[in-house]
Amino acid sequence: CESVHIVSFSIFINFRLRFSAYGQLFLTQVIICYCQPGIAVEKHVAFSRGLLQDMPEITDEMVRGYMSNSELENAIQDFGRRCANVSRIYSIGKSVNGSPLWAIEISDKPGLKEAEPAFKFIGNVHGDEPVGREVLMQLAYWLCDNYLKDPLATLIVENTHLHILPSMNPDGFALRRRGNANNVDLNRDFPDQFFPNNDDIKQRQPETRAIMNWIKQEHFTASASLHGGALVANYPWDGSRDTRKQYYGCPDDKAFRYMASMYSQSHYNMSLSKEFEGGITNGALWYPIYGGMQDWNYIHGGCFELTLEISDVKWPKASELLVIWKQNKMSMLNLVASLVKTGVHGRIFAADTGRPIPGSLMVKGIDSKINASGTFGDYHRIIAPGQSYEGRILTFLTWPSFLFKRKEN
């Protein structure tokens, strides 16, 4: 959010919970930040686009200028050495053919758990959409080079843990096709809420399992995957119960539209789209999919994920990559920074011992909850600005009453 007035305040509440024949004092800290960018309301119109097919042929000329898998691995390792003060390099698993799925963590305390929101970017979900690989490395280097020089870079590095997976599908990239080495579309391989596809863990692809385990290990607040073939910010739900193409919003529809609009309006020209009003779309309205990563993140990880189509061409010329990076730069930075600038943030812990208490945050009128982390009891919840909110903390012990109430003018 650029050039906006941000209001923040803190509320400290003490309340006594009774269980197992004795009392225990708990303290919850809530910080509610609001950011009002004046985002226009989307007019929902159905669109379609043929993104599901492999490209006819990816020639050597098209590949020239892109990093190979080995070159990308070297670039990631070089980044880790050059930016060791703000980064950690690790692998979340391996592909079908054994390629490590390398990830970069960027923070002023990389590798350490903190009561801060975490964000992840994932690129190259589809092997024939490689633009995310290149753009995400540009983002990593920009943050490293501008830390303590640029206010936005410094805010992100010091107040979030940003995780970057440049390539989820290195085998598909090497084979120059959409699917992985088993020719499975990884963005249809996750368990689905409407249909029991992919419920057999033994049949799930190793890349998919790696992402699912990653979600369980890290307490991600939000996420975005980068794709090519259109120019739009896509948000849940990605499918509908009756499989029809229709607007099918999730419980946090307003928050997702806010996130998508923030990305689109910060972009060079995404919001000017003649195909998608405001440069955003509901997934089920565009074209329904099932077994997608976006919906699974939200349902099972409490992670608000967008699917970002950042290039009209699936495999643009390498000479265009720098332009695409510059067009998406502010969008990516603002999306990560919004985890700090907006939303509801707090901790649930025992006042006498300081130990975290298992619990979650619910907002009245929104049928979803955000779990606090087990390490610090911290929670970070994205909400759309400009509205009144009431919420409460749930623990495994009891339901405390009113937690916060705010009317944004």
Side-chain angles (χ1 to χ4, degrees):
C1 300
E2 293 187 291
S3 302
V4 297
H5 180 59
I6 300 172
V7 180
S8 63
F9 65 98
S10 299
I11 305 175
F12 296 89
I13 303 173
N14 290 330
F15 49 85
R16 188 171 298 276
L17 307 178
R18 299 188 180 280
F19 62 98
S20 301
Y22 66 93
Q24 175 73 34
L25 182 65
F26 295 87
L27 176 67
T28 179
Q29 172 186 345
V30 185
I31 302 174
I32 308 175
C33 307
Y34 293 85
C35 174
Q36 182 59 56
I39 293 174
V41 176
E42 177 190 9
K43 296 178 181 178
H44 306 302
V45 182
F47 299 105
S48 62
R49 180 184 288 264
L51 298 178
L52 307 181
Q53 300 82 13
D54 284 318
M55 295 184 65
E57 182 183 3
I58 301 172
T59 65
D60 291 342
E61 181 62 28
M62 294 170 64
V63 174
R64 189 170 297 116
Y66 282 82
M67 289 183 285
S68 65
N69 284 335
S70 60
E71 290 170 337
L72 176 60
E73 180 174 352
N74 289 336
I76 292 172
Q77 299 299 336
D78 288 344
F79 175 86
R81 288 187 288 270
R82 172 179 161 183
C83 305
N85 61 318
V86 293
S87 70
R88 172 176 70 102
I89 308 301
Y90 65 103
S91 172
I92 68 168
K94 291 186 176 181
S95 68
V96 172
N97 288 340
S99 294
L101 303 177
W102 292 109
I104 303 170
E105 179 187 9
I106 296 177
S107 167
D108 61 335
K109 297 180 179 64
L112 298 179
K113 297 291 185 181
E114 296 185 278
E116 295 181 349
F119 191 101
K120 63 178 167 66
F121 277 116
I122 298 178
N124 202 197
V125 178
H126 294 130
D128 60 350
E129 299 172 16
V131 64
R133 295 161 56 105
E134 307 284 340
V135 169
L136 289 177
M137 289 306 301
Q138 291 281 358
L139 172 65
Y141 274 113
W142 187 88
L143 288 170
C144 174
D145 293 341
N146 288 277
Y147 174 51
L148 299 179
K149 300 176 184 176
D150 180 271
L152 197 53
T154 303
L155 181 145
I156 290 172
V157 173
E158 293 187 347
N159 296 279
T160 73
H161 282 255
L162 174 60
H163 298 254
I164 296 174
L165 181 70
S167 180
M168 178 182 169
N169 189 4
D171 296 348
F173 174 82
L175 294 167
R176 305 183 187 182
R177 69 184 186 196
R178 182 181 180 87
N180 68 351
N182 291 330
N183 207 20
V184 173
D185 187 331
L186 297 178
N187 203 32
R188 308 293 187 274
D189 193 46
F190 288 81
D192 189 81
Q193 62 174 324
F194 299 122
F195 303 101
N197 54 314
N198 313 325
D199 283 350
D200 185 356
I201 187 67
K202 296 179 181 179
Q203 299 299 318
R204 200 164 292 132
Q205 300 300 302
E207 297 92 344
T208 308
R209 292 198 301 269
I211 295 294
M212 295 174 68
N213 290 333
W214 197 21
I215 295 294
K216 295 175 182 178
Q217 294 166 5
E218 300 291 341
H219 192 232
F220 290 114
T221 301
S223 174
S225 63
L226 274 55
H227 298 253
L231 196 62
V232 66
N234 178 99
Y235 57 90
W237 297 122
D238 258 338
S240 60
R241 191 175 300 278
D242 60 8
T243 73
R244 290 189 300 116
K245 183 186 292 186
Q246 60 184 309
Y247 193 97
Y248 213 75
C250 71
D252 282 285
D253 187 63
K254 291 180 180 179
F256 273 106
R257 287 171 56 188
Y258 162 67
M259 292 171 61
S261 295
M262 180 198 310
Y263 194 94
S264 177
Q265 292 186 7
S266 299
H267 190 275
Y268 174 75
N269 60 353
M270 185 180 287
S271 65
L272 304 178
S273 172
K274 295 181 179 179
E275 186 177 4
F276 303 98
E277 182 71 24
I280 69 175
T281 187
N282 172 261
L285 181 62
W286 185 15
Y287 64 91
I289 70 167
Y290 301 92
M293 180 168 65
Q294 176 176 264
D295 289 3
W296 188 89
N297 266 267
Y298 174 63
I299 295 170
H300 297 280
C303 176
F304 287 45
E305 177 161 299
L306 297 177
T307 300
L308 303 173
E309 303 281 352
I310 64 171
S311 169
D312 270 319
V313 179
K314 280 191 172 188
W315 200 302
K317 296 179 181 178
S319 59
E320 300 173 3
L321 290 172
L322 185 58
V323 174
I324 294 173
W325 150 242
K326 291 179 178 179
Q327 291 176 344
N328 285 274
K329 172 185 168 184
M330 288 310 304
S331 296
M332 299 172 77
L333 294 172
N334 283 337
L335 187 59
V336 179
S338 71
L339 269 61
V340 179
K341 292 183 177 182
T342 66
V344 181
H345 308 266
R347 293 181 61 202
I348 308 171
F349 57 92
D352 54 351
T353 66
R355 293 178 180 176
I357 302 299
S360 57
L361 171 70
M362 287 202 72
V363 176
K364 185 177 180 180
I366 302 177
D367 188 20
S368 70
K369 65 180 181 179
I370 297 299
N371 293 326
S373 76
T375 306
F376 295 104
D378 60 306
Y379 55 83
H380 311 277
R381 201 195 198 294
I382 299 172
I383 53 175
Q387 302 179 50
S388 298
Y389 292 99
E390 295 182 20
R392 55 184 172 180
I393 294 293
L394 289 74
T395 73
F396 297 128
L397 311 174
T398 187
W399 283 52
S401 57
F402 171 76
L403 174 62
F404 69 79
K405 186 174 183 178
R406 171 73 179 183
K407 171 67 176 178
E408 177 73 356
N409 297 323

